[in-house]
Structure formats: C-alpha cells, structure tokens
C-alpha cells in the first residue's frame, strides 16, 4: 500500500508541475488562470488594516502580488501531490486498475465544478478583453484543460513508475522503480524548466516594473506625459485588450440593454477635458497623482439611451480584469463623467485602460475603472473591489497640496545663495478647483500667498510657486508647509473624523536647513 501511495505522491507532484506549466502557457495567451484569480477572489476578504500591514511586512504591493502567486503555485503543487497519493491508494484498492471514466470524473470534472462554484465571481476575467460571459467560459475551459493535463500526466506517470498493473501484495520498491523515478524526475525538471521560461516571459510583461509609478518633484509639469503618469493596478499582468474581441455592455436596472462596439462609441460627439486623478492611498508627500487631457464621450449619453428604472441608484463598472467599482447614478449622469478613449492626444495606453476607461472627476483614482467592458445600473447596495475590502466610506477627494521643490531635508548656505530659493508645487481640489495657495515657513504659524501660475480648470490641479522665490531671514531649520483653498472657498485642513481608509488629510511639510 505504501508503495502505491508514495508512487502516487510522486506522480501527483510531477502532474502538478505539468498542470502549472499548462496554466502559465494559457496565461501567455491572456487566459485567466487560478494562479492569479485565486488571489483576486481572496483579496476582497482582507480588510484594509491587515492588507496594509501585510503589504508593509512583505515590502509593497508588488511583493504582495509575487507572494500571492508564489504561494498559489506551492499550494497547487501540494494539492496535486496529495491528489496523486489518493489516486495511488485508489489504484491499489481497486487491484491496480482505475478506469479513465473514474479518474476523469474525480480529477477533471469534480475540480472544474468546484472551481466554477468557488471562483464564479472572478471567472469572467480576460486579459485579451473578451466580454465577461465569454471570458468566463474561456477561463473554465482553460481550467478544465489544465486539470485534464494533470489527470493524464498523473495516470501516465504512475503507470510508468509501478508498471501496468500493481498487485495488492506488491510492497517492494524494486531497482526498476528507482530507475524509472529517476527518468520521471528528469522529465519533471525539464517541464519545470519550460515553466520557468514561461514565467520569465510573463515576469517581463508583468506590472511589477511600473505598478506604483509616482509623479512628483522637479519634473512636474501642468500635463503629465503618458509614460510618466502615475500607475496603480491590482493585476500581476495587465490586460492588453484586442479591440476586435472587446465590446461594452450596458445592462442592469435599465429599460434598454445594449452592447456597443468600439467604433460605435467614436460616433458620439466627443468631449475633451483636463482631469486630475489621485489614488486613495496617496500620501501627503507622494506622487500617486497626475493630470491629463482626456477625450471621450459623456457616460450620460449611453445611460440616457439605456433609460434606468426609477429604482436605480448606483452604477457598477466592470473591467475585463474583473475589477469593479461603483459611483452614484447622479454622479454618473454628470456631464463631466466620461468614457475616455484618448489620453493627451493619443489612443489610451494599455496600462491606463485601453480601449476605454471611466473618468469621474473629484473621486479617488480607484473609481476610474480601466479596461471597461460592462456598465451595470444597480440598486444602492452595489460595492466595488476596494470598497468590499473595507476602503471608504468616503471616496470624494479632499483638497490637497504638495511642495515639489525644494527637496525635503535639503541644505542651503546663505553665503552661497545668489538668488532666492525656488519653492513650487501642486494643489488639487477634486472637482472644485483651486482658488488660493498659501505657504508657511514657520510650521503653520504665519501664511503667505503663493502665485498660482497654471490652472487646468475646476477638475484639474493647479501649479503654484512662491512669487520671486524665498529668501530666508537667517540661518536655521525651517519647516515649510503648504495649504490650498478650493474653488468653493474651503481651506484645506486636517479632518480628524475622516476614516483612515478614505484618504489622508492634512498638510504637506518639508524641512529645509539654512546655514550662514
Ligand atoms: N480595471 C481596473 N481599473 C482600475 C484599477 C485596476 O486595478 N483595474 N486600479 C484603480 C486604481 S486603485 C487607481 S488609483 C487608478 C489608477 O489609474 P492609472 O494607473 O491610469 O493612473 O485606476 C483604477 N482603475
Ligand atoms: Mo488607487
């Protein structure tokens, strides 16, 4: 019996490697596999507190994603080896014979059914941009194929190891088995090598190199160039949508459901609009904020045609990567809420949501769903990806400002200064605009007006600078702070009652050392 179990364990492990390689191959073709969607499925259960502390412990979102995929692969290999052991035991008890019907039911049909049930909410993921229902089918077929590879490899490896027929009284590990185990290991290593090559290929296109890109400091200009625009994604590998496969659905609580091809959307009167985006997790000194000129159509144009029922209260947006988020129907009907297909005069870049993304001025970045494929009108209870985790409840950006120049903790010597020190930065008031920016050189005791030298309208940030620069009155350590007033006259402040998961408030401050 032990012989059958050990041989099964080994064969299961080899079959697990073959299955994982199959999944990596599918991933190269844009098919969603458990390697990533299990993480997506589980991450909504982690509330933001533990999520952030876990992220801190492993060293950032990128490491967390790598940890997620890595542990899924290891977990998968352990399950595969265990399944192999069960298979070994089964074969032994059935005196050496296991009909294909039986093994396919247990190792192919059963896991596929379980995956369909457990992973249902995330199955509609497609990195080539298939509509959600088609994506769900493709993901399931890919999964069934992967477990089929597992089952066939398991049966073949096991038979190769122990010979065509294992006897119930057969207990000895013969030298032949040893030799065969060696051959099988060699094959396993070769297959795993192929897997590593695929994994490397995927790693190169993965989001690790750019997720978390920030835009701040001396380089900041009124409009952020596309390749410098800040970037945040939940994905390990981002979608690269094939627009021929893609379409946009409008459904839910509406009288007229519709699907739109990309070409149809270009037929609506376009709108160009400068809008700033900022991530909910952007720190006071951080650069998860950027500004671009977006071109697209008002979402309202599609919703008007869809005719929402009177019970409709929110709109839920689905990306092809199975990301979802919601906004109130009222905000969706605002003429500045856009479906954008161009960014700074060119086609939307892949990493910023090609072919279509939502722009919701004044709401945190997460609401600006990229790779949009479904617009679903819902009741008031619908929730988004991060909201389900527990972010929020407030998703409207508070007024923020940042000092970009000089650097925090920089040194100047009064004797060597031949001109005043340049002080400049940005101010952002959500969709309320910016009416005033003030600077303090004494940690907030007194304030001086700064000059707003660029404003991109109410939906975009403003750029400010200290007019004629700053000449320190004497040597010392200076705490420089900035605060902005939005277009409605509300002065930026620290909001002690705001949930820590609704974005930070307060002032950006830097320290500058002035020597004699
Ligand atoms: N489909 C999809 N849309 C998404 C995300 C995502 O992971 N998937 N991330 C959101 C988050 S948290 C932010 S801050 C913005 C970032 O947009 P950007 O990368 O274009 O700057 O996209 C949002 N839209
Ligand atoms: Mo974000």
């Amino acid at each position: 019996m032990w012989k059958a179990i050990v041989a099964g364990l080994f064969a299961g492990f080899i079959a697990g490697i073959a299955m994982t390689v199959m999944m990596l191959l599918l991933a190269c073709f844009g098919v969603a596999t458990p390697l990533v969607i299990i993480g997506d499925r589980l991450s909504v259960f982690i509330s933001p507190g533990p999520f952030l502390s876990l992220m801190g412990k492993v060293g950032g979102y990128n490491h967390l994603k790598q940890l997620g995929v890595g542990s899924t692969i290891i977990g998968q290999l352990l399950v595969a080896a265990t399944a192999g052991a069960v298979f070994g035991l089964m074969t032994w008890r059935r005196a050496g014979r296991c009909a294909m019907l039986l093994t396919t039911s247990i190792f192919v049909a059963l896991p596929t059914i379980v995956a369909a049930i457990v992973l249902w909410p995330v199955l509609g993921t497609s990195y080539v941009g298939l509509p959600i229902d088609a994506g769900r089918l493709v993901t399931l077929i890919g999964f069934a194929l992967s477990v089929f590879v597992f089952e066939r490899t398991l049966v073949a490896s096991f038979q190769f190891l122990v010979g065509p027929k294992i006897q119930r009284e057969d207990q000895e590990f013969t030298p032949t088995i040893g030799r065969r185990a060696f051959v099988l290991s060699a094959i396993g290593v070769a297959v795993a090598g192929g897997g590593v090559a695929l994994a490397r290929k995927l790693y190169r296109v993965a989001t690790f190199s750019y997720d978390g890109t920030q835009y701040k400091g001396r380089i900041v200009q009124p409009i952020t160039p596309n390749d410098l625009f800040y970037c945040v994604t939940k994905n390990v590998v981002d979608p690269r949508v094939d627009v021929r496969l893609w379409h946009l659905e409008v459904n839910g609580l509406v009288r007229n459901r519709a699907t739109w091809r990309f070409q149809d959307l270009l037929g609506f009167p376009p709108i160009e609009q400068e809008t700033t985006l900022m991530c909910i997790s952007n720190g006071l000194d951080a650069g998860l904020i950027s500004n671009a000129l977006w071109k697209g159509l008002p979402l309202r144009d599609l919703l008007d045609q869809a005719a929402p029922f009177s019970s409709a209260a929110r709109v839920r947006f689905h990306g092809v990567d199975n990301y979802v988020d919601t906004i109130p129907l009222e905000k969706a009907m605002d003429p500045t809420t856009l479906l954008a297909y161009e960014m700074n005069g060119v086609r939307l870049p892949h990493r910023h949501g090609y072919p279509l993304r939502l722009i919701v001025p004044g709401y945190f970045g997460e609401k600006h769903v990229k790779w949009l494929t479904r617009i679903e009108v819902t009741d008031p209870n619908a929730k988004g990806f991060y909201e389900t985790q527990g972010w929020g409840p407030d998703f409207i950006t508070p007024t923020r400002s940042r000092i970009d120049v000089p650097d925090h903790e920089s040194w100047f010597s009064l004797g060597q200064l031949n001109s005043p020190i340049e002080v400049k930065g940005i101010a952002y008031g959500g969709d309320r605009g910016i009416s005033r920016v003030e600077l303090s050189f004494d940690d907030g005791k007194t304030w001086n007006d700064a000059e707003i030298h660029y404003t991109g309208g109410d939906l975009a940030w403003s750029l400010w600078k200290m007019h004629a620069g700053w000449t320190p009155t004497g040597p010392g350590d200076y705490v420089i702070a900035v605060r902005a007033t939005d277009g409605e006259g509300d002065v930026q402040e620290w909001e002690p009652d705001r949930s820590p998961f609704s974005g930070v408030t307060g002032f950006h401050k830097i320290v500058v050392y002035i020597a004699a």
Side-chain angles (χ1 to χ4, degrees):
M1 182 176 85
W2 286 111
K3 177 180 161 186
I5 292 179
V6 171
L9 203 70
F10 185 61
F13 184 68
I14 299 286
I17 291 176
M19 173 176 76
T20 305
V21 173
M22 179 67 194
M23 288 177 182
L24 289 169
L25 192 66
L26 288 168
C28 288
F29 289 99
V31 178
T33 69
L35 303 181
V36 286
I37 58 176
I38 288 182
D40 279 350
R41 181 76 180 101
L42 294 179
S43 56
V44 293
F45 297 113
I46 315 176
S47 47
F51 180 77
L52 287 179
S53 85
L54 191 67
M55 216 159 94
K57 274 201 198 93
V58 300
Y61 208 177
N62 279 327
H63 286 116
L64 188 61
K65 291 178 190 173
Q66 287 168 17
L67 189 74
V69 178
S71 36
T72 307
I73 292 182
I74 290 168
Q76 196 165 276
L77 291 177
L78 290 178
V79 171
T82 312
V86 170
F87 169 73
L89 189 63
M90 250 166 56
T91 316
W92 177 78
R93 293 190 54 166
R94 301 175 61 89
R97 264 183 313 203
C98 241
M100 187 165 166
L101 184 66
L102 185 67
T103 56
T104 47
S105 326
I106 296 181
F107 298 111
V108 182
L110 186 66
T112 306
I113 292 167
V114 171
I117 295 169
V118 175
L119 296 176
W120 186 258
V122 293
L123 284 180
T125 308
S126 166
Y127 301 102
V128 288
L130 284 170
I132 292 173
D133 295 322
R136 192 172 270 143
L137 191 67
V138 168
T139 307
L140 260 189
I141 292 172
F143 182 81
L145 257 168
S146 305
V147 283
F148 182 67
V149 165
F150 171 78
E151 184 263 350
R152 285 293 88 196
T153 315
L154 173 65
V155 172
S157 313
F158 187 80
Q159 282 179 356
F160 176 73
L161 269 180
V162 299
K165 212 157 183 272
I166 183 171
Q167 302 298 321
R168 288 198 75 146
E169 55 283 356
D170 204 4
Q171 284 294 347
E172 302 286 292
F173 284 95
T174 59
T176 347
I177 292 194
R179 252 193 323 274
R180 287 175 179 172
F182 180 77
V183 172
L184 203 55
S185 305
I187 296 174
V189 168
V191 173
V196 170
L198 289 173
R200 281 225 178 120
K201 190 178 140 122
L202 287 166
Y203 191 93
R204 275 198 297 277
V205 296
T207 57
F208 307 130
S209 65
Y210 61 85
D211 181 22
T213 297
Q214 302 200 17
Y215 187 63
K216 62 175 183 177
R218 204 162 285 277
I219 57 165
V220 170
Q221 296 161 27
I223 299 286
T224 315
N226 287 355
D227 52 342
L228 298 179
F229 202 94
Y230 95 89
C231 195
V232 175
T233 168
K234 73 162 181 62
N235 300 313
V236 174
V237 176
D238 270 340
R240 277 186 91 84
V241 171
D242 180 339
V243 80
R244 291 163 303 179
L245 304 175
W246 177 92
H247 70 211
L248 177 68
E249 300 166 27
V250 182
N251 61 27
L253 303 175
V254 295
R255 208 153 287 126
N256 317 311
R257 295 161 155 253
T259 55
W260 301 88
R261 310 292 325 182
F262 187 67
Q263 215 52 36
D264 306 334
L265 299 175
L266 301 181
F268 286 84
I271 285 202
E272 272 196 291
Q273 174 179 303
E274 198 175 319
T275 306
T276 297
L277 269 58
M278 177 173 82
C279 181
I280 195 168
S281 68
N282 192 43
L284 292 170
D285 64 344
L288 296 177
I289 178 168
S290 295
N291 186 41
L293 184 63
W294 309 92
K295 182 176 173 184
L297 61 145
L299 170 60
R300 190 166 78 174
D301 288 357
L302 295 194
L303 289 178
D304 277 341
Q305 293 206 11
F309 293 133
S310 56
S311 57
R314 293 189 81 77
V315 182
R316 177 158 51 197
F317 302 87
H318 303 246
V320 299
D321 59 341
N322 189 66
Y323 180 90
V324 287
D325 217 331
T326 70
I327 58 172
L329 179 60
E330 205 188 331
K331 180 70 180 172
M333 295 300 277
D334 191 294
T336 64
T337 300
L338 299 188
L339 299 172
Y341 44 76
E342 268 188 31
M343 179 177 183
N344 293 332
V346 295
R347 205 183 77 171
L348 212 53
H350 284 293
R351 70 178 63 160
H352 296 296
Y354 177 81
L356 195 70
R357 86 173 298 170
L358 185 67
I359 295 294
V360 204
Y363 279 59
F364 283 120
E366 61 188 299
K367 302 278 175 188
H368 302 235
V369 176
K370 303 190 262 190
W371 311 291
L372 192 61
T373 186
R374 178 183 286 172
I375 297 169
E376 182 192 0
V377 178
T378 70
D379 63 25
N381 302 315
K383 282 202 167 131
F385 181 83
Y386 286 111
E387 201 176 356
T388 311
Q389 276 190 343
W391 290 88
D394 196 351
F395 295 99
I396 295 174
T397 53
T399 298
R400 292 274 295 267
S401 51
R402 185 185 69 204
I403 302 165
D404 281 316
V405 175
D407 288 334
H408 176 48
E409 300 198 314
S410 46
W411 285 85
F412 295 91
S413 160
L414 278 180
Q416 283 163 17
L417 271 185
N418 31 31
S419 60
I421 297 168
E422 183 182 34
V423 186
K424 63 177 188 177
I426 57 144
Y428 172 54
D431 60 355
R432 305 170 299 277
I434 288 292
S435 59
R436 185 180 191 188
V437 177
E438 294 161 284
L439 277 174
S440 168
F441 297 93
D442 52 12
D443 198 5
K445 287 198 264 306
T446 59
W447 294 92
N448 317 273
D449 271 296
E451 177 199 342
I452 296 172
H453 65 92
Y454 174 83
T455 173
D458 281 352
L459 315 178
W461 66 20
S462 291
L463 267 52
W464 56 264
K465 65 179 185 225
M466 196 62 212
H467 184 70
W470 170 52
T471 312
T473 45
D477 299 351
Y478 288 83
V479 176
I480 309 183
V482 60
R483 75 176 182 201
T485 303
D486 70 15
E488 293 167 0
D490 290 327
V491 182
Q492 174 182 352
E493 59 185 356
W494 179 56
E495 298 169 25
D497 297 339
R498 198 177 173 96
S499 149
F501 306 120
S502 292
V504 291
T505 52
F507 304 127
H508 181 214
K509 294 179 178 180
I510 62 169
V511 177
V512 173
Y513 307 108
I514 305 292

